Amino acid sequence: MKAQLITSLGEIRPDGSPLELKEVPRSCPTNGQVRLKIIACGVCHTELDEIEGRTSPPELPVIPGHQVVGTIEKFGPGIDSALQKQLKNQPVGVGWIYSACGQCRFCQEGRENLCPDFTATGRDRDGGYAEYMLVPVNYAIPLPPDLDPVQASPLLCAGSIGYRSLMLALKPNRGNPKRRLDKNKPLYSDSSRSSNSNINRKNNSNNHCNNHCNTNGNKNSTNYNNNNNNNRNNKNPKTSSPGQQSKQNSTPNDNACSGIEHSNQQEEPFIPAGQQDKHPISNISSTTGTCQLNEIPPLETLGLTGFGASGHLVLQLVKAFHPSTRVYVFARRQSTRDFAFSLGADWAGPTSARAPEPCQSIIDTTPAWLPVREALANLAPGGRLVINAIRKEAGDKDALQDLNYARHLWLEKEIKSVANVTRQDIRGILNAASKINLQPTLTEYSLEEAGQALKDIKFSRGRGAKVLKISTNNK
Ligand SMILES: [Zn+2]
Ligand SMILES: [Zn+2]
């Protein structure tokens, strides 16, 4: 089969090396494994982190890729015939989680993402930059039938890690909203910000620019300030963006809470991974878990710093499930900010700008440090910064030298990183995507063009997600 392999570590070069396209033997599944015929594999910044040595594969060569959609075409031993019949040719997704031990404290608590024996698809085991791959049957998540396999592939990481980040962002220290007498009164009383924000939101309401843009805004920009609304007053709505369609076609928030903290809020019952893995071949039929987004009270304000593959999906999730939440996007490039407006952002500005009002939570999806410092300055008291990155690049680490305790950390601000994903995160995003007809904005590449796709991520070219289309969904 054809596969792209990481053959050595180092900065990715113009010819795409050290990624190399090679012909390699197709392996047979062992006990409890299945072999997938791969339809598509999303391309993620983490592959750059692997190639450039920030999260190195333990052995080389390795086939990268952890946003895999394929059909099960061969079963290993130990998988009973009824299950085989059920799953034969079933489109499934494989995310960053390739396996976890199922026995440790974290696995037992439903936090298999923190398992010390966690193995990652495409780093610790061969992944999806190939025509075929092996995976334990319990880690191949069946797709809801209405999801297009190519469109679904970015959901396996950009979507699932975005979903996990959003779930964490939804749980900052918000006090007890039941005690707030006037729910129409802003939570924060900075009058200049409040008045600005009202104006900005009004001006932004019809703004749907359709310029092309780049991903991962993360640097200072000098040609913008909070009062420069020229681009945001553009009355040229583009109604054909996926985000707009999904908003118009669905009302997933019908059962959502309206800002009231429910002390008896129940999370979806979780089957401990350990119990699943003690019977490793029998649980795949529990296909999709429920999306939990409509069970958690919405935030009033959410910031997104960086707006690439993950950020553009999170914005659409929030606008569909929690339409009352005001979403503020921080991005380095104007074209990226225009993209954010086109998907419904209430405001967008450069990384170092101040949002119209402080944010209860901010999700950082950049590989840089300046956005961390600036996001802390944009947080409300008691707010939470969720850092969604497996590693940060070192280029602007000096930005942390200017971290000021009073400005950036005081008043119970907190920082929480996101590590890996659980299968529940993957099921959650697939279920949410099906429910709201979430359609990632994506650029397709061939398997041969994987190096180009990675370079485009590195240099922030193109918008949304990048996907290798490897085969058609023919049985
Ligand atoms: Zn474990
Ligand atoms: Zn990823």
Side-chain angles (χ1 to χ4, degrees):
M1 67 171 185
K2 281 191 292 187
Q4 291 275 7
L5 288 92
I6 303 174
T7 54
S8 62
L9 301 187
E11 193 155 341
I12 194 160
R13 292 187 279 275
D15 66 354
S17 62
L19 203 62
E20 287 184 45
L21 184 69
K22 291 194 170 183
E23 195 70 32
V24 298
R26 196 172 59 165
S27 303
C28 281
T30 57
N31 195 43
Q33 285 186 328
V34 291
R35 187 167 69 202
L36 308 185
K37 183 175 193 293
I38 297 173
I39 300 166
C41 183
V43 180
C44 179
H45 190 277
T46 299
E47 274 99 66
L48 282 174
D49 292 327
E50 293 178 29
I51 291 168
E52 298 182 347
R54 290 179 291 276
T55 179
S56 308
E59 290 179 20
L60 295 176
V62 69
I63 301 170
H66 57 270
Q67 306 185 83
V68 192
V69 174
T71 50
I72 297 178
E73 57 95 37
K74 190 172 178 61
F75 293 85
I79 303 173
D80 70 52
S81 55
L83 190 58
Q84 290 192 27
K85 193 174 174 191
Q86 181 187 341
L87 293 176
K88 182 78 175 167
N89 296 320
Q90 160 76 43
V92 294
V94 184
W96 179 243
I97 182 167
Y98 188 89
S99 67
C101 82
Q103 308 294 328
C104 72
R105 187 187 115 211
F106 296 107
C107 284
Q108 293 292 322
E109 291 174 354
R111 298 192 290 168
E112 58 189 358
N113 59 311
L114 302 180
C115 174
D117 293 329
F118 182 97
T119 60
T121 310
R123 184 191 63 186
D124 307 320
R125 302 286 185 273
D126 283 336
Y129 284 26
E131 292 178 296
Y132 296 87
M133 75 171 277
L134 303 179
V135 66
V137 69
N138 266 8
Y139 293 81
I141 313 292
L143 297 188
D146 54 339
L147 288 190
D148 173 78
V150 177
Q151 287 276 319
S153 65
L155 303 177
L156 275 306
C157 180
S160 61
I161 199 94
Y163 177 87
R164 183 171 188 83
S165 304
L166 183 55
M167 294 298 286
L168 292 172
L170 284 164
K171 297 175 181 174
N173 175 13
R174 283 189 272 174
N176 183 354
K178 283 179 183 170
R179 294 177 67 94
R180 192 147 55 86
L181 296 178
D182 183 356
K183 294 196 172 58
N184 294 319
K185 196 172 173 185
L187 264 181
Y188 310 106
S189 59
D190 180 326
S191 57
S192 61
R193 285 184 168 197
S194 297
S195 58
N196 269 343
S197 72
N198 291 336
I199 294 166
N200 285 340
R201 283 198 298 278
K202 191 175 172 187
N203 285 345
N204 292 343
S205 61
N206 284 324
N207 189 295
H208 305 282
C209 300
N210 55 8
N211 294 342
H212 289 276
C213 79
N214 298 290
T215 57
N216 284 336
N218 56 32
K219 296 251 173 78
N220 265 320
S221 174
T222 56
N223 61 356
Y224 182 91
N225 61 54
N226 285 354
N227 297 319
N228 181 359
N229 287 326
N230 290 344
N231 67 306
R232 287 175 280 143
N233 289 326
N234 181 349
K235 309 278 187 190
N236 182 24
K238 182 189 179 190
T239 55
S240 60
S241 78
Q244 298 300 313
Q245 289 172 357
S246 66
K247 281 194 295 184
Q248 289 161 3
N249 293 343
S250 62
T251 53
N253 200 44
D254 288 345
N255 299 318
C257 307
S258 54
I260 306 296
E261 195 87 54
H262 294 282
S263 59
N264 61 350
Q265 194 79 49
Q266 295 283 318
E267 292 202 356
E268 180 193 359
F270 185 84
I271 303 166
Q275 289 178 22
Q276 295 175 348
D277 290 347
K278 283 173 193 163
H279 308 283
I281 317 296
S282 62
N283 273 289
I284 187 103
S285 55
S286 58
T287 53
T288 52
T290 57
C291 164
Q292 299 173 349
L293 287 172
N294 55 5
E295 299 169 12
I296 296 179
L299 295 167
E300 294 189 11
T301 50
L302 172 70
L304 301 174
T305 185
F307 198 72
S310 191
H312 93 288
L313 295 174
V314 171
L315 174 59
Q316 293 177 69
L317 283 178
V318 174
K319 286 296 172 185
F321 284 93
H322 294 165
S324 65
T325 301
R326 299 181 292 280
V327 182
Y328 304 135
V329 173
F330 305 89
R332 182 174 44 145
R333 296 168 190 264
Q334 183 59 54
S335 53
T336 310
R337 302 195 285 267
D338 292 341
F339 182 37
F341 280 125
S342 77
L343 293 177
D346 294 272
W347 172 93
T351 307
S352 296
R354 290 295 158 264
E357 59 189 322
C359 300
Q360 282 175 293
S361 287
I362 297 179
I363 298 171
D364 166 38
T365 55
T366 71
W369 291 102
L370 178 72
V372 170
R373 188 191 74 197
E374 295 304 310
L376 288 168
N378 268 303
L379 271 188
R384 175 180 287 184
L385 171 61
V386 178
I387 300 180
N388 166 358
I390 190 166
R391 292 291 183 274
K392 288 281 192 183
E393 295 177 6
D396 67 343
K397 210 168 181 179
D398 288 351
L400 294 182
Q401 296 291 332
D402 296 325
L403 208 58
N404 177 292
Y405 182 76
R407 186 164 181 237
H408 298 110
L409 292 167
W410 169 240
L411 293 173
E412 301 191 352
K413 296 179 183 180
E414 61 180 330
I415 302 175
K416 195 164 183 69
S417 67
V418 179
N420 307 320
V421 291
T422 66
R423 283 170 285 181
Q424 174 53 35
D425 296 324
I426 297 173
R427 294 186 184 107
I429 184 66
L430 293 175
N431 188 277
S434 171
K435 191 176 268 187
I436 66 171
N437 189 27
L438 176 63
Q439 297 189 20
T441 298
L442 55 82
T443 307
E444 291 183 10
Y445 300 80
S446 66
L447 179 59
E448 290 76 9
E449 294 171 322
Q452 183 61 48
L454 281 170
K455 284 185 289 175
D456 287 347
I457 287 182
K458 186 177 175 75
F459 298 109
S460 300
R461 292 190 287 250
R463 66 181 182 179
K466 293 166 177 60
V467 171
L468 307 180
K469 189 172 178 189
I470 296 171
S471 71
T472 54
N473 189 17
N474 294 331
K475 308 287 160 83

